[in-house]
Amino acid sequence: MFTKCTSDSAYSIVSDRCNGLSECSVPVTAGVLSEPCPGTRKYLTVSFMCLKARRIVACQNYYNIIRCEWPTKLMIVHANYGRRDEELCPKGNTTTTACINGVTQQVRDWCKPWGDRCYVMATDFLYSDPCHDYSKYLEVMYMCLHLNGEHGLMDS
């Protein structure tokens, strides 16, 4: 007998934890993925695709520039604000690595669609603070793509 039981938050949780990394692990526990169906055994199935994305980081209260060389155009793949690495942006309290807020759509909205550059800033003012009292950074994964014909895209 099968129980139809899915987690509405699993996609965003796995994306926030894993996008931009060459490897990651996600514990399949109620504390991480919520409890969609109490009393039943659970599993997590993940499909993924490796893209040749580039990465920029802006430390908290600083900005960075995402640039693509002409004639390529910018496509934001994924963005996180928070902290998942103790080594990046070492100023301040860096003792947590489990504090992330997926901000992909906000960064996409901010960056001019299909422009060739974008200024991004890492502040609590722009993105909700996922972990008070810890220093944070904005991590953006992006690609520079050639427009191929009217609607097609090609990786540069």
Side-chain angles (χ1 to χ4, degrees), residues 2-63:
F2 293 98
T3 301
K4 183 172 169 78
C5 175
T6 60
S7 169
D8 294 334
S9 61
Y11 176 81
S12 64
I13 291 168
V14 172
S15 293
D16 290 346
R17 285 178 173 250
C18 299
N19 280 1
L21 301 177
S22 58
E23 64 182 59
C24 78
S25 62
V26 178
V28 183
T29 64
V32 174
L33 294 171
S34 76
E35 180 61 80
C37 45
T40 61
R41 294 182 63 133
K42 288 138 198 84
Y43 62 92
L44 176 66
T45 302
V46 176
S47 298
F48 64 93
M49 179 175 31
C50 295
L51 300 173
K52 292 188 324 184
R54 300 173 187 178
R55 174 182 177 215
I56 65 103
V57 172
C59 298
Q60 187 173 10
N61 298 321
Y62 289 90
Y63 74 93

Side-chain angles (χ1 to χ4, degrees), residues 8-154:
D8 294 334
S9 61
Y11 176 81
S12 64
I13 291 168
V14 172
S15 293
D16 290 346
R17 285 178 173 250
C18 299
N19 280 1
L21 301 177
S22 58
E23 64 182 59
C24 78
S25 62
V26 178
V28 183
T29 64
V32 174
L33 294 171
S34 76
E35 180 61 80
C37 45
T40 61
R41 294 182 63 133
K42 288 138 198 84
Y43 62 92
L44 176 66
T45 302
V46 176
S47 298
F48 64 93
M49 179 175 31
C50 295
L51 300 173
K52 292 188 324 184
R54 300 173 187 178
R55 174 182 177 215
I56 65 103
V57 172
C59 298
Q60 187 173 10
N61 298 321
Y62 289 90
Y63 74 93
N64 207 335
I65 305 168
I66 304 170
R67 287 190 182 112
C68 291
E69 297 297 321
W70 187 87
T72 62
K73 299 298 180 182
L74 174 64
M75 183 185 83
I76 303 298
V77 175
H78 191 77
N80 281 325
Y81 180 66
R83 175 164 292 284
R84 62 180 182 173
D85 183 321
E86 287 185 18
E87 305 294 319
L88 281 173
C89 301
K91 184 179 177 183
N93 187 350
T94 63
T95 57
T96 187
T97 57
C99 118
I100 51 177
N101 184 14
V103 295
T104 304
Q105 193 57 53
Q106 288 138 293
V107 173
R108 283 180 183 152
D109 291 345
W110 176 259
C111 293
K112 181 181 176 185
W114 303 114
D116 62 355
R117 72 187 60 208
C118 180
Y119 293 80
V120 291
M121 187 163 190
T123 68
D124 292 344
F125 177 76
L126 293 175
Y127 312 109
S128 62
D129 187 350
C131 48
H132 301 285
D133 301 325
Y134 291 96
S135 60
K136 293 162 279 293
Y137 54 84
L138 176 66
E139 178 182 31
V140 180
M141 303 300 293
Y142 69 98
M143 296 176 72
C144 294
L145 301 173
H146 287 280
L147 293 178
N148 180 18
E150 195 171 317
H151 300 289
L153 297 173
M154 291 176 28

